[in-house]
Amino acid sequence: MASEILCSRWTTLVVRELLCGSTRFNDLRRGLPKMSPALLSKRLKELQQAGVLIVSRRTKGSVEYHLSEAGEELRPLIMGLGNWAQRWMESRLSLKNLDPSLLMWDMHRSLNVKLLPPHRCTIQFLYPELSGSQKRWWLVVADGAVDLCNFDPGHQLDLLVKSSLRTMTAIWMGLTTIKKESDTGQLEIDGDQALACSMQQWLGLSAFAFEPRRVQ
């Protein structure tokens, strides 16, 4: 019965996104960029019917989704799947299907804003091999909050980070480091030197990055 609820396609990823703090439909979509809106709606209804999800309506008709007590108890199971994958899945398989929107969405909510300047800070990530809106991304940090933009927010840049999407994803997954990729020329950082030197600390990493790997 548990498998019938949790093992349908995308369901564990929907729960993961809820566990990571997404509460609105559009935020869930940004964390699940390859999932269709119709299927996301279907899975949310199924989770609600199963008692895993609570739907609440706010002012002006906005809807928020929150995990119930039963849903929160899934945390060790969902995180355990990620830890298992980090230990046992080959790096080349993990880096096969890259998605800049998913990478940047995860990065934006894991930034350590306490290590960034108290004033507004704008950081651009440039992936030269991509095209259109997938090529340039901005993280704008102000008043302890982080906004993700794939259009120019119009602020002066504090830092420009340039690399391939594969390189930045590998850094995020803990498969390599900023220093190593900078030393080999795969990563270029221009702008505020203090920000550049502390990037490994304020960037944060995937929740599974520190899980010891058993395969290469």
Side-chain angles (χ1 to χ4, degrees):
M1 291 175 63
S3 295
E4 288 178 2
I5 295 172
L6 297 175
C7 294
S8 55
R9 190 181 182 196
W10 292 101
T11 299
T12 54
L13 292 176
V14 174
V15 175
R16 174 197 179 272
E17 196 61 25
L18 291 161
L19 286 169
C20 288
S22 293
T23 60
R24 302 201 175 190
F25 191 83
N26 285 339
D27 288 343
L28 289 165
R29 285 196 63 194
R30 295 187 77 176
L32 300 160
K34 295 184 179 181
M35 186 180 188
S36 72
L39 184 56
L40 175 56
S41 293
K42 185 173 186 289
R43 292 292 183 259
L44 289 171
K45 289 178 182 177
E46 291 170 349
L47 289 171
Q48 183 185 10
Q49 292 168 356
V52 174
L53 186 66
I54 299 171
V55 180
S56 59
R57 293 191 178 274
R58 302 299 182 185
T59 55
K60 298 182 180 180
S62 63
V63 175
E64 290 190 356
Y65 303 91
H66 297 275
L67 291 171
S68 64
E69 182 181 357
E72 283 292 338
E73 284 196 8
L74 291 171
R75 186 178 296 275
L77 297 176
I78 302 299
M79 300 304 288
L81 281 174
N83 289 332
W84 176 86
Q86 184 77 358
R87 284 197 303 272
W88 295 106
M89 290 185 67
E90 294 185 43
S91 301
R92 62 181 180 84
L93 297 178
S94 301
L95 294 171
K96 184 178 180 181
N97 298 309
L98 303 176
D99 189 309
S101 57
L102 180 57
L103 171 67
M104 295 305 302
W105 182 248
D106 268 350
M107 285 170 55
H108 108 279
R109 61 186 173 195
S110 297
L111 242 59
N112 189 339
V113 295
K114 294 180 180 179
L115 298 180
L116 292 170
H119 56 78
R120 184 180 63 204
C121 181
T122 305
I123 305 163
Q124 181 184 358
F125 288 80
L126 175 62
Y127 304 116
E129 79 277 17
L130 304 185
S131 59
S133 61
Q134 301 295 290
K135 185 174 185 175
R136 295 178 177 85
W137 299 81
W138 289 262
L139 295 176
V140 181
V141 185
D143 299 324
V146 184
D147 285 330
L148 171 64
C149 307
N150 63 344
F151 57 87
D152 191 343
H155 306 314
Q156 181 176 346
L157 282 184
D158 294 278
L159 204 67
L160 171 62
V161 181
K162 180 180 177 181
S163 76
S164 68
L165 178 60
R166 182 184 179 89
T167 294
M168 187 53 62
T169 302
I171 291 171
W172 171 248
M173 292 176 62
L175 303 175
T176 185
T177 64
I178 289 172
K179 183 180 186 306
K180 180 178 179 180
E181 298 306 317
S182 296
D183 290 346
T184 59
Q186 299 300 310
L187 178 74
E188 299 176 19
I189 310 175
D190 295 313
D192 186 294
Q193 286 302 301
L195 277 179
C197 292
S198 62
M199 183 175 170
Q200 188 74 63
Q201 285 70 48
W202 57 254
L203 178 65
L205 296 177
S206 161
F208 311 111
F210 301 101
E211 186 69 26
R213 294 184 61 79
R214 304 292 179 86
V215 297
Q216 299 296 327

